[in-house]
Amino acid sequence: MSAATATAAQPEVPRSTTGRQRRSDRSTAENRLGQKLVAPAVVVMLLVTAWPMLQALYLSLFRYRLTTPNDRAFIWFSNYWTILKDPLFWHDTFNTVVIMVVTVAVELVIGFAFAMVMHRVVFARGGIRTAILIPYGIITVVSAFSWQFAFSINNGFVNSWFGWLPWISADTNWFGSHWPAMFAIMVSEIWKTTPFMSLLLLAGLSQVSEDMVEAAKVDGATWWQRLWKVILPNMRAAIMVAVLFRGLDAFRIFDNIYVMTKGAQNTESSSFLTYRQVIEQLQLGLGSALSVLLFLTVLILAWLIVKLFRVDLAQARGEA
Amino acid sequence: MRNRNAVGTWVGFALIMVWCLLPVAWIISLSFKSVEETGVGSPQFLPKDPTWQNYKDIIDNPDFTAALRNSFGIALISTLLSVIFATLAAYAIARLEFRGKRLVLSLALAIAMFPVVALVGPLFDLWRTLHLFNTWPGLIIPYMSFTLPLAIWTLSAFFREIPWEMEQAAQVDGATSWQAFRKVIVPLAAPGVFTAAILTFFFAWNEFVLAISLTSTTASRTVPAQLSFFVGPDPFNPPYGQLATASVLVTIPVIVIVLLFQRRIVAGLTSGAVKG
């Protein structure tokens, strides 16, 4: 979510090539000062990411289990091969993709509805803003517990409140089979992160010019037409930023699953599989290979969405 | 027409309030249910016979108080250090021309998207070698690196808006450069730094993957990790009431911060998107 601020600001960054053309003493000094000021942040960031990632790349080529360290051997890409032909890996990847696609889609719709309401509300703005920030600020683990207990067969209120639905009764066991458990996990994820989505969309919405919407109204456009033809195309950039960062965030899902099912009923995600291999089974070699694959997937995913985002941004500009 | 809109807005407002507060109300309600009540199953929302017993038990639980101390200490120190480093970097990015600027911004972006789990294995290995496993610095260092991108981006977007010419104007009026910086720029920059600090604190308070992987005892285990180990030996019968109580207690700081600074948090979260 951090980076939401990021991409949007990126185009503003002035190209630093101008410094290279007129290299006076002053610009050399400025260059040095600038690099000195960013150095501590860069060092800390690299220490915890670049170095361990290289380490993971290296370890992924070994058969290396911490419980049997003497068995360590260099086995080339065998770990990757083991992973790629394991159905569990593909099953977990499928789970992760389902969670990502469903939660982001639902959040986009609900988040947009919330943003529309917040845009309209003239009373109690502070109140609504405070309320919407509470799910954002609450620890994911707490949110997961709250929903786990809500869906609980003995102590939850979901079964008694929604008993009128044909497929829910007092003894519906949500964590007893795959899809209901996935549903509970996704509800928890959606509850926690929709506010973030709606704030980003609200920011986008406030950029759509009221004049254009009014003009469309005068021309006789219906509410739907105004929404699809005027409002949404004009906030495409904000929507893409929201989708990019929520999508990547959802792909890393871990906390909710860990708390709610511990991976039972085949609800494991890619992150969970990696964690289980490394920390619980101490399979450093195999786990490192999984880490590398996870990292590559996120990289490809980011690249794809950014690519999509750039195209759309250009289009949005062309239309405006 | 106007009336229908107003009614729609009211209904929407009510829905948002229910959405945001229902799970919070639920966990609070649960925290007042007794062990006897949850033991036999209590599908109703409100407690039959509210009790403070869970609160007494949790406050007397040394594991929980230790985790709370760890969480506060680790989150505050990471926030402080991260904000200092990010302020230096963001100042340089907003004010100075230097080689590698785009590289720093791209690096920050890449780290913001990084799957944290991918680092757990190598960090686990490295931290054991360096004796950082299960220590405060062992969590503070990774928390700094994962909050730096957010802080750098928020701050540099914020710093770019500051009218830096005012500093020179103050110098023309006879202030030394240090005075000009302290009296003019620092008060303008403070709200942005503060916003970055709040967002950083939220991250460190919330973080879970590293907290369960790089700690093993109450010497450094933070609240989210401690909560997940609370479940006990019998996974079919978790201590509902106590977990709910602990959840309520760790949520209080978040709610206090949100109540006090909601305007700034919203500004910090959306500043980039608005300008995009």
Side-chain angles (χ1 to χ4, degrees):
Chain A
M1 54 190 86
S2 38
T5 353
T7 9
Q10 200 168 22
E12 287 174 31
V13 179
R15 315 265 163 200
S16 51
T17 41
T18 41
R20 218 168 289 170
Q21 285 150 9
R22 4 179 210 97
R23 178 145 296 265
S24 63
D25 283 350
R26 200 178 157 276
S27 75
T28 317
E30 194 175 305
N31 194 25
R32 209 168 292 152
L33 178 64
Q35 287 172 344
K36 250 185 223 157
L37 288 176
V38 293
V42 171
V43 168
V44 176
M45 287 195 286
L46 287 180
L47 176 74
V48 178
T49 50
W51 164 246
M53 208 59 234
L54 290 175
Q55 172 91 350
L57 263 175
Y58 172 73
L59 280 178
S60 72
L61 304 176
F62 284 87
R63 180 176 67 222
Y64 181 24
R65 188 170 181 181
L66 221 54
T67 44
T68 49
N70 294 331
D71 194 33
R72 179 174 160 153
F74 187 77
I75 52 169
W76 288 101
F77 295 100
S78 170
N79 282 328
Y80 291 94
W81 181 237
T82 312
I83 292 166
L84 290 175
K85 64 175 198 208
D86 190 331
L88 184 66
F89 170 77
W90 292 107
H91 185 271
D92 290 359
T93 307
F94 175 71
N95 277 345
T96 316
V97 171
V98 168
I99 292 173
M100 178 179 80
V101 172
V102 173
T103 57
V104 173
V106 173
E107 281 168 26
L108 206 53
V109 175
I110 302 179
F112 188 73
F114 281 10
M116 291 286 271
V117 172
M118 286 195 282
H119 194 57
R120 286 280 170 73
V121 166
V122 273
F123 51 90
R125 283 210 159 188
I128 205 166
R129 210 157 30 185
T130 308
I132 207 111
L133 282 172
I134 286 174
Y136 169 77
I138 278 184
I139 297 180
T140 315
V141 172
V142 167
S143 138
F145 273 125
S146 172
W147 286 104
Q148 189 198 2
F149 295 163
F151 280 105
S152 150
I153 189 167
N154 294 320
N155 288 301
F157 62 85
V158 170
N159 283 351
S160 56
W161 280 17
F162 296 95
W164 49 274
L165 287 168
W167 58 89
I168 297 177
S169 67
D171 52 3
T172 302
N173 184 1
W174 290 90
F175 299 103
S177 52
H178 177 70
W179 287 110
M182 289 279 278
F183 178 79
I185 289 168
M186 287 191 272
V187 166
S188 161
E189 174 83 2
I190 290 169
W191 176 74
K192 163 98 172 88
T193 50
T194 298
F196 173 67
M197 189 74 118
S198 69
L199 285 174
L200 286 187
L201 295 176
L202 177 64
L205 203 56
S206 64
Q207 284 212 307
V208 178
S209 94
E210 286 291 330
D211 294 351
M212 257 196 305
V213 182
E214 278 304 313
K217 209 172 184 173
V218 171
D219 288 346
T222 62
W223 189 85
W224 271 110
Q225 283 172 328
R226 292 201 300 269
L227 180 67
W228 285 101
K229 300 269 164 75
V230 183
I231 297 175
L232 288 180
N234 276 299
M235 50 185 293
R236 196 174 279 180
I239 294 173
M240 281 299 162
V241 170
V243 168
L244 174 65
F245 293 104
R246 268 303 306 145
L248 291 176
D249 207 34
F251 194 81
R252 300 182 288 198
I253 185 166
F254 180 82
D255 310 18
N256 276 319
I257 297 175
Y258 187 95
V259 169
M260 294 177 87
T261 64
K262 281 241 159 73
Q265 314 302 344
N266 292 321
T267 53
E268 206 172 59
S269 67
S270 309
S271 284
F272 200 100
L273 177 68
T274 312
Y275 168 83
R276 207 159 50 84
Q277 290 304 313
V278 175
I279 301 297
E280 284 177 11
Q281 308 202 359
L282 301 170
Q283 291 269 19
L284 286 189
L286 204 63
S288 295
L290 273 169
S291 299
V292 173
L293 285 176
L294 186 64
F295 177 61
L296 286 180
T297 319
V298 170
L299 213 62
I300 294 169
L301 218 57
W303 182 79
L304 280 175
I305 304 179
V306 165
K307 198 91 181 151
L308 198 73
F309 171 61
R310 286 228 172 104
V311 168
D312 274 328
L313 209 102
Q315 274 176 0
R317 273 184 195 145
E319 281 164 16
Chain B
M1 188 70 195
R2 267 235 156 273
N3 261 336
R4 223 184 65 197
N5 259 341
V7 171
T9 311
W10 267 106
V11 172
F13 176 78
L15 277 177
I16 294 181
M17 284 307 199
V18 170
W19 172 280
C20 296
L21 302 179
L22 179 76
V24 181
W26 162 241
I27 205 100
I28 293 174
S29 155
L30 203 51
S31 73
F32 286 105
K33 289 186 181 178
S34 62
V35 184
E36 293 76 42
E37 195 180 343
T38 53
V40 295
S42 101
Q44 82 284 3
F45 195 84
L46 295 172
K48 282 195 188 108
D49 186 17
T51 163
W52 284 100
Q53 192 55 43
N54 291 321
Y55 285 86
K56 292 197 188 95
D57 290 346
I58 277 294
I59 290 165
D60 285 340
N61 182 331
D63 285 354
F64 180 74
T65 45
L68 209 54
R69 205 166 40 238
N70 289 335
S71 259
F72 263 112
I74 290 171
L76 286 176
I77 296 172
S78 331
T79 303
L80 186 71
L81 292 175
S82 168
V83 166
I84 291 173
F85 286 8
T87 305
L88 296 178
Y91 174 83
I93 287 165
R95 285 265 351 241
L96 306 172
E97 277 308 320
F98 61 97
R99 253 180 300 159
K101 185 149 120 180
R102 287 184 68 79
L103 195 71
V104 177
L105 285 169
S106 321
L107 178 71
L109 191 61
I111 290 175
M113 300 191 290
F114 215 87
V116 181
V117 168
L119 295 178
V120 155
L123 268 185
F124 175 73
D125 210 27
L126 188 66
W127 266 204
R128 281 181 330 124
T129 327
L130 299 175
H131 301 291
L132 284 172
F133 182 75
N134 200 25
T135 63
W136 276 26
L139 283 183
I140 291 171
I141 296 169
Y143 285 4
M144 278 171 69
S145 23
F146 283 107
T147 53
L148 271 169
L150 171 66
I152 291 176
W153 277 105
T154 317
L155 278 172
S156 58
F158 189 88
F159 283 178
R160 228 174 270 131
E161 304 285 297
I162 293 181
W164 297 96
E165 303 78 28
M166 282 172 64
E167 194 184 353
Q168 283 160 344
Q171 283 182 37
V172 170
D173 288 346
T176 65
S177 50
W178 171 242
Q179 277 177 330
F181 184 75
R182 203 172 57 90
K183 293 260 166 77
V184 179
I185 298 303
V186 171
L188 284 173
V193 174
F194 199 71
T195 306
I198 294 171
L199 297 180
T200 303
F201 183 83
F202 273 8
F203 175 94
W205 191 247
N206 184 33
E207 206 288 326
F208 182 64
V209 181
L210 296 167
I212 55 168
S213 312
L214 302 179
T215 65
S216 57
T217 66
T218 49
S220 67
R221 197 176 271 159
T222 59
V223 168
Q226 189 63 44
L227 279 180
S228 79
F229 288 114
F230 241 47
V231 180
D234 178 7
F236 295 106
N237 198 12
Y240 285 90
Q242 287 201 23
L243 269 167
T245 310
S247 300
V248 170
L249 291 177
V250 298
T251 305
I252 291 172
V254 170
I255 292 185
V256 169
I257 295 175
V258 166
L259 282 176
L260 290 176
F261 308 112
Q262 36 102 353
R263 196 179 291 268
R264 287 207 182 130
I265 302 171
V266 172
L269 282 175
T270 57
S271 61
V274 173
K275 281 164 214 147

